[in-house]
């Protein structure tokens, strides 16, 4: 399958230190804007634990320096870098997507 | 694979333990376990037999149910016993005629009560004390008796005497020796025990040699060698045990000169294929009439069968600790001087009923043994010192002196070597327990018990286990347990103080100055809650810190939708306002339900619907109910003296006033209140964080109640106070809780861990013992004065409203949220009811 960079909107649309959900080719993707080190991450919006579209509403943090998001429903945490489940219990990992910022817009690389 | 038949003859405590251990150890499933039990019940706890008189049932005493054996594919034959062993053809035959072949036999035939062969011993009314059936016979016969004599003043005899007394019988204990429990205590200890037992209404007769039992068909009395007589209607014999070696004898297996199946240190009998364990065994001229050595023997045989041929039994400690009729009795090692020179240290206090003796080596370095009567609290420590041959402190007397709380005894649990046995029933060492805590995530006594099995036998080591756990926690727990998370070494209370003292009001500053990293789901909401308690700014000014519910000012539900709960102070609402809620529910098709806090919940609102819903509610005059916050929820009320014919005060007005005063107050966890208009307590104030009950003279204030996970009845903090005092006390109480509690700690749990408990809290709130109340009251007043409805200000701020959209690049709704209808209202579709598209 081919991959393509898709424009998901202007940087100013993405609240700082928070997640925002975008719709890309029918997919729900959570995008996280961490302005402190100018970092952006994108992961699936679906929490694999209870299968709800909520990860964009989770708290951002880090586990031993590794950035993570914590699901608002049951506090499962996932690495924003590689999608690995990093809290206790047996929960699947999540999919991550490459993000880049160009000319004031945010782009995600997804399969088309 | 052809499994080897292991036949376990006898299903008492030791036989059962053997089955359990072999089953667990036999991971390759090499063995087929078959066990015979002559009683009609499988193994039960004979040690606690007397508990049967205290209302325990046979089931309570059972070691394992019949299903337990079935589940493990262990064949259990009840009311059947092996009557012959053909050692040549390797078969056994049971009394019911069953013949089975065997590979190995484990004899665990136990012992039988020794019945002195005196004339008349076969008369009706003479019983032994060994099985549940014996107890049932005793209970039945005791119904027509008023008196009872127990023959035997040993451990079991005294248990039996206690049982007889509990059946309402006037009880005499008769002992052949010159003291009670001659094996466990010395003369002076026996004397103390006699006094303690006689103080409970029994008569103890020492140096009594029974000559014959008097009576026609039934017992009427006993005659002794000194020609004295005791009249009694009933006799219970507990004069020692005799090993059950009749089967061994019958099949030609060697028995000891004074009885008992003779074994070597491998627990093998004279036949290599026959082992013997438990009370039927004689090893080194000793019969081990306690359960712990039996278990050790069972373990050794299991080890050998499963490949560890080096496992042996070389004797066991006969130390014991028990409670007899409320009296501690314990002994270990030598109870009286033996061959080597030694000294003793004695503490004998008839006034308090405590006798303690230590036998120590001539040079004062080693503990050789000891006796404790009346108070055996030090038993665990002393036994460890004895077993591990530890160096005694300079003054060994310090080990048995009555302790006050601060004094150290000189040798603590920390000094024990890792090889020290904590639980001898289950053979668990200090090292095993530490391993369970360190490496197996055992974070409570019950977790340690279930992992190591320590404390699950006789239970005598539980105090020691608790000490060890607390010692370990104190040793390395403090700094880890206090720290909020990996980003802050501060506890919540310390973080609160930092924020109060420094005025830091952003998370960036707080973590830069007092933490490390970027934060997480634990420290961020904690900081946000503290900022809100201290500065009372709008919580969405710290949006990235807020937890699930506070992030969107609504309670997130399992399907990602939210609930809306408008505030209804005191539960009082007009029909017009009810109609507003009804209309919102109808227009947005929300599920509506009455909550436990006297308000109305509207569920199923999507993120993007929240502002529109709140816009209608706020315009109609509602305010946020803060149902999503770790903050005041509701103050519930009854209708009080305004309507109720029993009410003595206007509870509704007070509840409304209190709810309005504290609404929006952020705290470590949610806070619930209630006001009842009379002692009938219809508002259930005593299960609330603060509860007020009207009296004729004013109000009673209750605090720290809870109806949730672990219900707790609230404590009465002050009685008959007027309204101003009441509000002042609640202000101080809540602010003190906010200042000192841990994150997510409700007031009930906070109170249980508050040093000094209720007395301390009373001193703080009522007497201002910490001299902080002016400050606390001012802090509360600040929160009250700066209250704003969070939803009102959110609706007025376009920046904040931006977040209330599912997609930021589309106006579409989240198509995965789907409802169906039950009882005419919506409910979320469960996963099984829909085909969710995977990402």
């Amino acid at each position: 399958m081919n991959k393509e960079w898709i424009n998901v909107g202007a940087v100013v649309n993405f609240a700082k230190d928070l997640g925002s959900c975008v719709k890309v080719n029918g997919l729900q993707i959570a995008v996280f804007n961490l302005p402190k080190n100018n970092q952006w991450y994108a992961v699936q919006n679906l929490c694999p634990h209870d299968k709800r579209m909520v990860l964009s509403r989770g708290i951002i943090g880090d586990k031993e320096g590794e950035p993570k998001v914590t699901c608002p429903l049951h506090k499962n945490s996932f690495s924003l870098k590689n999608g690995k489940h990093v809290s206790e219990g047996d929960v699947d990992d999540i999919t991550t997507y490459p993000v880049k910022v160009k000319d004031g817009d945010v782009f995600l690389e997804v399969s088309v | 694979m052809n499994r080897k038949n292991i036949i376990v003859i006898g299903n008492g405590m030791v036989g059962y333990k053997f089955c359990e251990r072999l089953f667990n150890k036999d991971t390759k499933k090499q063995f087929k376990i078959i066990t015979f039990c002559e009683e009609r019940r499988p193994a039960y706890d004979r040690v606690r037999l007397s508990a049967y008189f205290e209302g325990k049932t046979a089931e309570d005493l059972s070691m394992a149910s019949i299903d337990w054996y079935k589940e493990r594919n262990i064949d259990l034959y009840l009311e059947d016993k092996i009557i012959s062993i053909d050692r040549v053809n390797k078969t056994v035959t049971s009394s019911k005629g069953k013949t089975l072949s065997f590979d190995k036999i484990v004899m665990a035939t136990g012992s039988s009560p020794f019945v002195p062969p005196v004339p008349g011993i076969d008369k009706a009314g003479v019983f032994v004390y060994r099985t549940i059936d014996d107890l049932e016979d005793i209970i039945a016969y005791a119904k027509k008796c008023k008196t009872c004599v127990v023959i035997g003043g040993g451990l079991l005899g005294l248990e039996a005497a206690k049982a007889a007394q509990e059946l309402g019988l006037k009880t005499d204990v008769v002992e052949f020796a010159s003291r009670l429990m001659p094996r466990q205590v010395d003369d002076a200890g026996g004397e103390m025990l006699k006094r303690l037992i006689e103080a409970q209404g029994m008569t103890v007769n020492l140096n009594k040699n029974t000559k014959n039992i008097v009576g026609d068909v039934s017992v009427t009395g006993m005659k002794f060698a000194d020609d004295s007589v005791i009249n009694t209607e009933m006799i219970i014999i507990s004069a020692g045990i005799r090993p059950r070696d009749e089967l061994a004898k019958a099949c030609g297996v060697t028995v000891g000169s004074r009885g008992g199946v003779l074994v070597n240190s491998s627990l093998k009998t004279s036949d290599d294929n026959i082992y013997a364990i438990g009370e039927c065994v004689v090893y080194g001229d000793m019969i081990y009439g306690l359960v712990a050595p039996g278990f050790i023997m069972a373990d050794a045989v299991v080890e050998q069968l499963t490949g560890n041929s080096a496992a042996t039994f070389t004797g066991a400690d006969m130390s014991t600790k028990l409670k007899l009729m409320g009296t501690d009795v314990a002994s270990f090692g030598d109870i009286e001087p033996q061959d080597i020179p030694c000294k003793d240290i004695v503490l004998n206090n008839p006034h308090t009923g405590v006798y303690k003796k230590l036998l120590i080596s001539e040079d004062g370095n080693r503990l050789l043994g000891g006796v404790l009567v009346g108070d055996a609290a030090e038993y665990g420590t002393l036994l460890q010192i004895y077993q591990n041959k530890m160096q005694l402190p300079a003054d060994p007397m310090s080990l048995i002196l009555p302790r006050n709380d601060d004094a150290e005894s000189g040798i603590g649990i920390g000094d024990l070597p890792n090889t020290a046995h904590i639980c001898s029933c289950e053979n668990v060492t200090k090292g095993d327990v530490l391993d369970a805590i360190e490496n197996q995530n055992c974070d409570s006594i019950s977790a340690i018990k279930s992992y190591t099995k320590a404390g699950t036998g006789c239970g005598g080591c539980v105090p020691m286990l608790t000490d060890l756990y607390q010692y370990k926690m104190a040793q390395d727990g403090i700094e880890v347990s206090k720290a909020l998370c990996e980003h802050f070494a501060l506890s919540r209370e310390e973080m609160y103080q930092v924020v109060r003292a420094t005025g830091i009001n952003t998370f960036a500053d707080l973590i830069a100055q007092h933490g490390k990293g970027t934060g997480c789901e634990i420290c961020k909401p904690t900081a946000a809650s503290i900022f809100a308690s201290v500065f009372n700014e709008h919580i969405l000014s710290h949006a990235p810190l807020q937890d699930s519910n506070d992030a969107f000012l609504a309670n997130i539900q399992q399907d990602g939708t939210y609930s809306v709960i408008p505030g209804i102070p005191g539960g009082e609402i007009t029909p017009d306002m009810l109609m507003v809620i009804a209309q919102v529910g109808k227009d947005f098709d929300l599920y509506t339900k009455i909550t436990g806090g006297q308000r109305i919940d509207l569920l199923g609102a999507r993120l993007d619907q929240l502002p529109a819903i709140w816009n209608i509610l706020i315009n109609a005059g509602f305010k946020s109910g803060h149902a999503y916050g770790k903050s005041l929820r509701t103050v519930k009320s009854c209708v009080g003296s305004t309507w109720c014919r029993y009410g003595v005060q206007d509870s509704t007005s007070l509840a409304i006033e209190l709810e309005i005063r504290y609404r929006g107050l952020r705290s470590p966890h949610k806070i619930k209140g209630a006001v009842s208009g009379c002692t009938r307590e219809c508002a259930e104030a005593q299960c609330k964080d603060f509860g007020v009950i009207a009296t004729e003279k004013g109000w009673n204030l209750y605090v720290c109640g809870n109806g949730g996970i672990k219900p707790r009845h609230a404590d009465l903090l002050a009685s008959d106070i007027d309204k101003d005092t009441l509000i002042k006390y609640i202000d101080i109480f809540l602010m003190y809780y906010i200042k000192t509690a841990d994150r997510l700690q409700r007031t009930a749990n906070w109170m249980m861990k508050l040093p000094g408990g209720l007395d301390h809290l009373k001193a703080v709130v009522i007497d201002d013992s910490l001299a902080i109340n002016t400050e606390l009251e001012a802090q509360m007043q600040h929160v009250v004065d700066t209250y704003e409805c969070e939803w009102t200000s959110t609706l007025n701020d376009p920046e904040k409203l931006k977040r209330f959209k599912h997609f930021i690049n589309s106006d579409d709704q989240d198509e995965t949220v789907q409802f169906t209808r039950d009882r005419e209202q919506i409910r979320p579709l469960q996963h099984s009811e829909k085909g969710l598209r995977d990402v």
Side-chain angles (χ1 to χ4, degrees), chain A residues 10-108:
Chain A
V11 166
V12 291
N13 290 345
F14 292 82
K16 293 171 180 174
D17 292 312
L18 286 163
S20 304
C21 183
V22 294
K23 195 170 188 179
V24 186
N25 295 346
L27 290 180
Q28 293 197 21
I29 299 179
V31 180
F32 298 90
N33 174 10
L34 280 63
K36 194 178 170 196
N37 298 317
N38 198 23
Q39 287 167 318
W40 290 80
Y41 297 100
V43 302
Q44 68 184 53
N45 194 36
L46 184 91
C47 176
H49 166 239
D50 203 25
K51 311 253 185 325
R52 304 295 179 177
M53 291 291 188
V54 291
L55 287 183
S56 61
R57 293 177 242 166
I59 289 188
I60 308 172
D62 75 273
K63 181 175 172 147
E64 289 149 20
E66 174 111 349
K68 66 169 187 177
V69 62
T70 301
C71 176
L73 287 177
H74 303 99
K75 306 277 180 276
N76 285 290
S77 295
F78 304 90
S79 163
L80 289 174
K81 276 194 171 157
N82 54 30
K84 287 229 176 304
H85 176 244
V86 294
S87 49
E88 279 175 22
D90 186 19
V91 174
D92 289 343
D93 298 338
I94 56 173
T95 306
T96 59
Y97 299 89
V99 197
K100 71 178 177 186
V101 174
K102 199 179 163 193
D103 301 331
D105 281 346
V106 180
F107 293 82
L108 302 184

Side-chain angles (χ1 to χ4, degrees), chain B residues 379-683:
Chain B
Y379 172 74
T381 309
L382 293 171
L383 182 65
Q384 295 296 341
I385 295 173
Y386 162 70
Q387 287 180 338
N388 296 292
K389 301 187 169 55
M390 291 165 71
Q391 169 75 44
L392 284 171
D395 180 8
M397 186 80 176
S398 66
L399 295 170
I400 50 171
L401 280 175
R403 245 188 280 178
N404 53 37
D405 287 343
D406 306 330
E408 290 288 332
S409 73
I411 291 186
I413 193 133
D415 300 323
L416 294 175
N418 276 353
T419 52
H421 273 94
I422 300 298
C423 172
S424 48
C425 296
E426 296 287 335
N427 206 7
V428 180
T429 64
K430 177 181 168 187
D432 296 336
V433 175
L434 292 180
D435 173 68
I437 298 170
E438 279 167 14
N439 304 321
Q440 310 299 336
N441 296 324
C442 294
D443 54 2
S444 64
I445 300 292
S446 61
I448 296 169
K449 281 166 84 170
S450 82
Y451 182 76
T452 63
K453 292 252 191 307
T456 59
C458 72
C461 65
V462 173
M464 187 134 202
L465 202 59
T466 309
D467 278 354
L468 179 56
Y469 175 67
Q470 285 168 352
Y471 163 80
K472 176 73 181 147
M473 289 297 107
Q475 209 187 26
D476 55 26
I478 291 169
E479 69 271 31
V480 283
S481 70
K482 241 175 52 171
L484 260 185
C485 62
E486 65 172 271
H487 306 102
F488 286 93
L490 304 173
S491 65
R492 181 199 170 273
E493 181 178 358
E494 288 165 345
M495 184 184 274
Y496 181 90
Q497 283 163 353
V498 164
V499 170
R500 275 267 177 227
T502 60
I504 289 175
N505 67 353
T506 68
F507 187 74
D509 287 347
L510 187 65
I511 198 163
Q513 293 173 34
H514 299 277
K516 60 173 190 190
T518 60
C520 67
E521 76 281 6
I522 293 169
C523 58
K524 281 181 167 181
T526 303
S529 165
I530 291 172
F531 292 149
S533 296
V534 173
F535 307 113
N536 208 25
E537 296 161 342
H538 195 286
I539 60 164
L540 288 190
S541 60
H542 296 290
L545 306 183
Q546 302 298 350
D547 213 345
S548 318
N549 295 339
D550 279 333
F552 295 98
L553 308 179
N555 283 45
I556 194 165
Q557 304 298 315
Q558 55 151 289
D559 63 341
T561 64
Y562 290 87
S563 79
V564 170
I565 304 185
I568 303 177
E572 181 184 272
I573 186 165
T574 64
D576 281 341
M577 295 294 262
L578 271 177
M579 283 164 73
V580 172
I581 295 180
Q583 198 62 48
V584 167
K586 224 171 149 59
D587 290 350
F588 289 83
D589 195 14
L590 303 173
Y591 171 81
T592 56
K593 188 176 186 304
I594 310 292
T595 74
Q598 299 186 333
R599 41 195 193 171
I600 297 167
D601 203 348
L602 301 156
L603 291 109
R606 295 189 317 267
L607 189 56
D608 57 281
Q609 293 177 315
L610 290 174
I613 291 170
W614 275 106
N615 200 34
I616 298 167
L617 293 170
I618 300 275
N619 284 335
F622 282 107
K623 292 196 163 30
S624 167
H626 294 102
Y628 46 81
K630 304 298 180 213
S631 58
L632 179 84
R633 295 289 173 85
T634 66
V635 181
K636 195 173 170 178
S637 73
C638 63
V639 293
S641 56
T642 317
W643 287 93
C644 178
R645 64 189 194 281
Y646 299 112
V648 293
Q649 304 276 0
D650 181 1
S651 51
T652 316
S653 297
L654 180 64
I656 293 169
E657 186 176 342
L658 292 176
E659 183 165 330
I660 289 175
R661 181 170 180 81
Y662 302 119
R663 67 185 170 190
L665 172 69
R666 298 282 153 162
S667 48
H669 210 311
K670 61 188 172 189
I671 300 170
K672 296 179 179 180
V675 183
S676 279
C678 76
T679 56
R680 283 169 186 76
E681 245 285 67
C682 295

Side-chain angles (χ1 to χ4, degrees), chain B residues 671-822:
Chain B
I671 300 170
K672 296 179 179 180
V675 183
S676 279
C678 76
T679 56
R680 283 169 186 76
E681 245 285 67
C682 295
E684 295 158 343
Q686 290 167 98
C687 66
K688 299 290 187 279
D689 297 281
F690 64 89
V692 182
I693 301 177
T695 69
E696 300 281 351
K697 298 175 197 154
W699 306 96
N700 282 353
L701 173 59
Y702 291 82
V703 293
C704 303
N706 192 353
I709 292 180
K710 217 174 168 187
R712 180 180 192 272
H713 207 278
D715 295 306
L716 181 61
L717 187 80
S719 314
D720 294 327
I721 47 178
D722 61 26
K723 196 179 89 181
D724 289 347
T725 310
L726 177 79
I727 290 175
K728 179 180 152 163
Y729 284 0
I730 301 176
D731 279 3
I732 296 167
F733 161 69
L734 289 176
M735 237 36 215
Y736 187 56
Y737 160 65
I738 290 168
K739 175 181 157 75
T740 58
D742 199 358
R743 61 180 278 275
L744 302 184
Q745 186 178 41
R746 290 290 297 269
T747 58
N749 196 11
W750 169 71
M751 167 65 104
M752 285 187 274
K753 295 188 176 143
L754 189 67
L758 181 62
D759 289 340
H760 167 77
L761 188 62
K762 278 184 179 168
V764 171
V765 174
I766 299 169
D767 307 326
D768 196 10
S769 61
L770 299 178
I772 52 170
N773 291 2
T774 316
E775 203 182 313
L776 296 180
E777 282 180 82
Q779 290 165 358
M780 181 63 88
Q781 198 55 48
H782 172 74
V783 173
V784 172
D785 292 343
T786 53
Y787 167 79
E788 58 172 354
C789 168
E790 287 163 357
W791 264 109
T792 306
S793 49
T794 301
L795 291 174
N796 294 329
D797 186 341
E799 267 308 302
K800 293 192 174 96
L801 285 177
K802 271 190 186 172
R803 299 277 302 150
F804 291 88
K805 253 185 110 181
H806 191 77
F807 299 109
I808 62 159
N809 66 342
S810 161
D811 289 329
D812 289 353
Q813 296 165 13
D814 177 5
E815 80 277 5
T816 66
V817 171
Q818 294 168 24
F819 301 109
T820 182
R821 282 183 183 272
D822 270 349

